[in-house]
Amino acid sequence: MRDRPSTADPFVPRPSACPGLLRIVQALDGGICRVKLAGGLLSSKQARAIAEAAEHCASGVLELTNRSNLQIRGVLAGQQAELIERLLAANLGPSNPAADDVRNLLLSPAAGLDPHALLDTRPLAAALLELLQNTPALHGLSAKFAIQLDGGEALAMLEHPHDIWLSALPGTPAQLAFGLAGCPTDRPLGAIRVEQAAELIEQLLLLFLKLAGSAHSRMRQLLSEIAPNQLLQQLQARLPFAIQPVPTAWQRQSTSQHAAIGIYPQQQAGLCMVAASARLGRIDALQLHALANLAEQYCDASLCLTPWQGVLLPNILEHSTDKLLHALGELGLLTDTQEPLSKLIACTGSAACGKGLSDSKADALRLAERLCTSTARPQVHLSACPRSCAAAHTAPFTLLASSAGHYQLYQRMPEVAGFGQLLASTMTIDEAGDWFAAHCATGNNDA
Ligand code: SF4
C-alpha cells in the first residue's frame, strides 16, 4: 500500500496557472481543482467521494476534460483544505505530492478491452506512472507535458498532439513505435520492445529536461531548436539497447474521431462497453452519484472517463447494454450521435473565465437548438478567446468569439495552420446555425 500524502505535509505546490489536486486555481465562478485519474479510471466509491466533496466544498459542477481527467469547479473560499483532504482520503492524489502535475498519461478508455487492440497497455501505463511519480528529477516537467500510450484500440483519441507518443506495432515480440510532439498517426522516430519502454521514457524525459533547461516546457518548442534525428542520436547514446527503425509500410490507422457514444463490443466474450458524453463536458454532483450507482448495478463498480469528455462503463453483459444506455440518457448524458450537442465542444466562456469574450457554453446550446431543425451535424468548437482551452486539436469548424454573441468562423484545412481558413469574420450564433444548415447537409459534416 503506498503512502498517502496528507495536507499536514509541508508541501506547497509550485506556481502555475494549471489547476491540480493540491493547487486550486481561481476563476470567476470560484476555485478549480483538477483530479488526475490513472487511465481515466474511477471506482464508484471514488466517484461518490468526488460528488460529495463537490457538493460540500464547491458548487457541485464537474467538468470532464479532454485528457480523461475531472475538474471540480466553484470551490468555495475557506473550503479548499477540506476538499483536498477528502480527495486524498479517497486515494485520488499522487503517490508523491510533488508529482501531481506530472501524471499526464493518456490511454484509450478501452485499454485492455478493445477487440482491435494489439497490446494491453495497462501494465506499462502503471509502470510509467510509477516512474513519473517516484523519480524526483522528473518533477520539473511542465504540468502540461503529456505522454500518450496507444495500444492500437479502435476507440482511441488520435487527434490530440502529445509531447511523446507510443503506439503498439503488430507482430511479435511486442513492440512500440514512438514519436515526439505529435500523434500516433504521424511518422514515428523509431521502435523499441515493450519491456524497454519505461527506460526509453525515463532517458528521453531526462534528456528533454537537460536540453530544454528553463527556456522550453514543451517538446515542440525544443524541436524548433534541435532536429528530431539529433535528439534521437543523443537519446540512443543513453540507452543500453538499440532503437529500431519502424517498417516504412506501418501507419497507425486513424479511427472515427466522433465522441464515443453507444455500445461497443469487448474482446471478452459476452461483455460490452457502454459510453455516453457529458453535455459540453459538464455534469453535476447528482449525476456523478447516479453514475456510481449504475456502475455498481451494471458492471464491476468502475467508470472510465473518455478524452471526448464523456464516460464509459466497461464489462456490461450484452443483454443489459440497451437498458444501461437508456439509463445514461435518462441521467441527461448524450447517448445519440444524432443529437447536435454531441458534436459541439465549448470552453468555459465569459460566464466563468475572465478572458472570455462571449458565453461560449450558452452560445453552443443555442447553436445546438438551431441545428435541430436541420440535418446538419457539424463538429464545431466554440472558443471564447484564442487560447482554445476546450480543444487540444483543431476541430473541423471553429467559432472564435470576437465579442459577446459574435464569432469568426474557421474551417480546418490541412495546409492552413491554427484554426484553418477564415470563412466569415463575424457571425451571430443564429447566422452560424443557418450557415451550417446550408453547407453541412448530412454526409458533409466533417469538412
Ligand atoms: S479559451 Fe479563453 S475564454 Fe475559453 S476558457 Fe480558455 S482562456 Fe477562458
Side-chain angles (χ1 to χ4, degrees), residues 2-22:
R2 70 187 193 190
D3 290 337
R4 183 163 56 77
S6 145
T7 47
D9 293 339
F11 176 76
V12 179
R14 60 186 170 168
S16 167
C18 283
L21 189 146
L22 305 168

Side-chain angles (χ1 to χ4, degrees), residues 2 34 39 60 67 95 101 116 125 172 187 228 284 315 329 339 372 375 383 401 417 445 447:
R2 70 187 193 190
R34 181 174 296 161
R67 285 186 179 180
S95 59
D101 280 343
H116 297 89
T172 49
R187 189 70 208 139
D284 62 28
N315 301 320
E339 290 190 60
C372 278
T375 58
S383 193
N445 290 320

Side-chain angles (χ1 to χ4, degrees), residues 108-147:
S108 162
L113 309 176
D114 192 312
H116 297 89
L118 301 167
L119 175 74
D120 180 351
T121 55
R122 294 172 297 181
L124 176 56
L128 293 178
L129 282 171
E130 281 295 309
L131 171 75
L132 287 163
Q133 294 188 86
N134 297 324
T135 312
L138 302 182
H139 298 167
L141 289 167
S142 154
K144 290 186 184 301
F145 195 101
I147 302 172

Side-chain angles (χ1 to χ4, degrees), residues 167-251:
S167 184
L169 292 169
T172 49
Q175 283 192 301
L176 291 157
F178 69 91
L180 305 176
C183 307
T185 47
D186 295 341
R187 189 70 208 139
L189 280 180
I192 38 112
R193 304 225 333 215
V194 169
E195 61 272 20
Q196 297 166 333
E199 187 154 16
L200 176 101
I201 292 296
E202 181 174 8
Q203 292 305 322
L204 182 50
L205 292 175
L206 291 171
L207 179 61
F208 169 81
L209 286 167
K210 178 176 163 224
L211 297 176
S214 57
H216 301 307
S217 59
R218 304 299 300 273
M219 187 64 82
R220 67 170 185 279
Q221 297 167 335
L222 180 63
L223 292 180
S224 67
E225 291 192 356
I226 177 168
N229 279 342
Q230 268 178 285
L231 193 65
L232 197 62
Q233 275 174 15
Q234 293 194 41
L235 176 61
Q236 180 62 83
R238 290 170 161 252
L239 295 171
F241 53 83
I243 296 170
Q244 301 296 322
V246 179
T248 46
W250 181 78
Q251 169 72 56

Side-chain angles (χ1 to χ4, degrees), residues 347-349 353 355-357 383-389:
C347 73
T348 303
C353 174
K355 295 190 172 62
L357 298 175
S383 193
C385 92
R387 289 167 69 102
S388 186
C389 297

Side-chain angles (χ1 to χ4, degrees), residues 304-324:
C304 189
L305 302 195
T306 76
W308 299 275
Q309 297 184 284
V311 64
L312 176 147
L313 278 76
N315 301 320
I316 310 297
L317 292 170
E318 251 170 23
H319 64 79
S320 301
T321 51
D322 287 337
K323 215 168 145 196
L324 174 57

